[in-house]
Amino acid sequence: QQQVKQSPQSLIVQKGGISIINCAYENTAFDYFPWYQQFPGKGPALLIAIRPDVSEKKEGRFTISFNKSAKQFSLHIMDSQPGDSATYFCAASGFNKFYFGSGTKLNVKP
Amino acid sequence: GAVVSQHPSWVICKSGTSVKIECRSLDFQATTMFWYRQFPKQSLMLMATSNEGSKATYEQGVEKDKFLINHASLTLSTLTVTSAHPEDSSFYICSAELGGGGTQYFGPGTRLTVL
């Protein structure tokens, strides 16, 4: 059973627009929800993370919205830039493991 | 802070040889490190969890005799791909856990090509 489901698989956004990526998780025991950004040929880089005791966390242009009752969380990238073009992975942590989503390839058009 | 390095960044080897990949946490100590494998355009697949001073815990379907993991210190874990075959060609990424809070920091990855 897939523990974390991520959508969409790919996303095209115009420069200056808002990019929204969604994830849903299965296990209510998960207690840490990070987002990673990965460029081709590189390892994932931690972007922002949230714990279930808050509903939103904002760092610069990046915001996580967390809905505990729905078991969903999302990443919002405000004022998207071409340099944001990358693959984004959500994850949920529990039982000493990370469970990754399938990834979203974001393309920000100039 | 929280920098993880991997060496080498890429390696090409002949079928049947062994390859060792190093993962180092440069500015923090990591009791737990993780090894992942990533195929093109796919997500990360956890291979094993490496704990300092003890045996690694392998995920189902991962051959422990083929992928040898050693976590000899709080800053170094190694993955050795033994008797490598072309199907082992992949992007291998390690991560190190900072503190006990679950945050993982990833290395830059190692591209392995087996001819």
Side-chain angles (χ1 to χ4, degrees):
Chain A
Q1 183 183 18
Q2 193 175 359
Q3 295 284 345
V4 180
K5 295 181 181 178
Q6 183 173 345
S7 63
Q9 187 175 1
S10 63
L11 182 61
I12 299 175
V13 172
Q14 289 296 128
K15 178 182 176 182
I18 302 174
S19 304
I20 301 175
I21 305 171
N22 300 299
C23 282
Y25 62 97
E26 292 293 324
N27 199 316
T28 55
F30 291 150
D31 60 1
Y32 179 68
F33 303 88
W35 284 90
Y36 286 87
Q37 178 189 57
Q38 186 179 30
F39 292 103
K42 304 294 183 183
L46 179 64
L47 200 58
I48 187 172
I50 198 169
R51 295 199 182 270
D53 53 344
V54 296
S55 60
E56 185 176 282
K57 184 175 181 179
K58 183 176 180 179
E59 290 182 1
R61 296 185 295 110
F62 302 94
T63 299
I64 298 179
S65 296
F66 186 83
N67 187 328
K68 189 174 182 178
S69 60
K71 294 190 290 184
Q72 295 176 348
F73 58 111
S74 60
L75 175 69
H76 296 234
I77 305 175
M78 314 299 285
D79 187 26
S80 299
Q81 300 296 312
D84 297 331
S85 297
T87 299
Y88 293 81
F89 293 97
C90 65
S93 175
F95 315 104
N96 282 341
K97 289 184 187 179
F98 268 29
Y99 297 88
F100 281 92
S102 53
T104 297
K105 186 172 183 179
L106 171 64
N107 187 2
V108 181
K109 296 286 192 181
Chain B
V3 178
V4 177
S5 70
Q6 269 183 254
H7 178 80
S9 56
W10 60 269
V11 57
I12 301 173
C13 69
K14 293 181 178 180
S15 185
T17 61
S18 295
V19 174
K20 180 186 284 188
I21 303 170
E22 291 185 350
C23 176
R24 293 181 185 274
S25 56
L26 297 185
D27 51 0
F28 67 100
Q29 293 183 330
T31 306
T32 305
M33 291 184 172
F34 303 84
W35 286 95
Y36 294 83
R37 186 172 178 175
Q38 187 177 35
F39 293 102
K41 299 183 179 181
Q42 293 191 22
S43 189
L44 291 84
M45 183 189 78
L46 179 64
M47 299 175 65
T49 301
S50 168
N51 293 295
E52 188 266 338
S54 64
K55 291 184 178 180
T57 303
Y58 290 82
E59 294 300 300
Q60 191 174 8
V62 177
E63 300 175 58
K64 60 181 67 176
D65 293 332
K66 180 168 188 59
F67 298 100
L68 300 179
I69 291 173
N70 185 284
H71 194 158
S73 77
L74 288 172
T75 58
L76 173 65
S77 176
T78 59
L79 168 68
T80 301
V81 183
T82 62
S83 186
H85 288 93
E87 56 266 30
D88 299 325
S89 298
S90 190
F91 193 52
Y92 292 88
I93 311 173
C94 72
S95 72
E97 186 177 55
L98 177 60
T103 303
Q104 289 188 29
Y105 291 90
F106 285 82
T110 297
R111 173 73 58 193
L112 170 64
T113 302
V114 185
L115 301 176

